[in-house]
Amino acid sequence: MAEWCEGKVVSVTHWTEALFSLVVHAPVRPFVAGQFAKLALEINGEKVQRAYSYVNAPTSPHLEFYLVNVPQGKLSPSLHRLQQGDSLQITADAAGFFVCEEVPDCDTLWMLATGTAIGPYLSILQQGEGLERFNNIVLVHAARYAEDLSYLPLMQQLQQQFNGKLRIQTVVSREHAEGSLYGRVPALIENGTLEHETGLTLSAETSHVMLCGNPQMVRDTQHLLKTTRNMSKHLRRKPGHITSEHYW
């Protein structure tokens, strides 16, 4: 049984009509960058809970979550209505293995995300621990529209902090936007555009790919990397080149 604690909403940022971030204060136990917690509310007498990744570094005094309001969802509409000072429940212990220490050494680490799945990467990069093992890091955030790239300013700030090690690339699929590639992540890998724009090679010899986001993107990219780049899923007992997490 999960142990729950009460959290208080410190602030809410509504990025678009659907995308929003919650900053929460809660007495959770230490976690590892890239992990997730469960948030819960009592709704019509039922405790409704969902898993959300931490956006903040573990050293941050406040907890941050990046969410999308799904109108027909059981929990997100209620979370979307929360205001400063409101309460919610959060698991005291984080979970998940989508963390830097599970990734093997390589020359280039590719962090590929769609939508709100940018969260765990931002936590890992803000924490900054264990990344000295990689010569290059590529952070890719794919969204439908340019306005959905909520954390682009933070991504750009992190790029400066990493002094050339971190390269960021945004992708939008429903419009052409300055500074962003157009299309879907698997197609941009298949036709070589992503490598051309970042100036780095995505190969089994030099790279490890972290995939987090829409399950279809994750499946399609995994299949592409396996069939065209000779890359395999990474397991503790059998090291490979792809670490993935499905994310809604």
Side-chain angles (χ1 to χ4, degrees), residues 224-241:
L224 177 70
L225 295 175
K226 289 176 181 177
T227 55
T228 68
R229 306 297 174 104
N230 198 32
M231 301 177 89
S232 60
K233 185 176 181 179
H234 177 65
L235 303 170
R236 282 182 174 177
R237 64 181 182 275
K238 188 178 180 183
H241 318 92

Side-chain angles (χ1 to χ4, degrees), residues 88-181:
L88 75 167
Q89 296 291 305
I90 180 171
T91 46
D93 293 303
F97 298 97
F98 197 72
V99 297
C100 187
E101 63 188 44
E102 294 290 331
V103 174
D105 293 350
C106 65
D107 185 68
T108 303
L109 175 61
W110 296 78
M111 297 176 161
L112 310 184
T114 58
T116 56
I118 191 70
Y121 298 130
L122 296 176
S123 180
I124 291 169
L125 291 167
Q126 288 183 95
Q127 184 71 358
E129 294 181 356
L131 299 177
E132 64 281 347
R133 299 184 289 127
F134 313 109
N135 291 323
N136 305 291
I137 303 170
V138 183
L139 176 62
V140 177
H141 188 199
R144 293 181 179 182
Y145 300 98
E147 69 171 2
D148 299 333
L149 301 169
S150 312
Y151 284 91
L152 180 56
L154 176 57
M155 292 166 61
Q156 293 169 333
Q157 179 185 327
L158 288 166
Q159 186 178 34
Q160 292 182 341
Q161 292 176 9
F162 275 85
N163 295 319
K165 175 181 282 195
L166 174 64
R167 306 184 192 195
I168 62 172
Q169 181 62 61
T170 54
V171 177
V172 292
S173 60
R174 301 286 180 87
E175 65 180 358
H176 291 273
E178 186 178 356
S180 296
L181 297 178

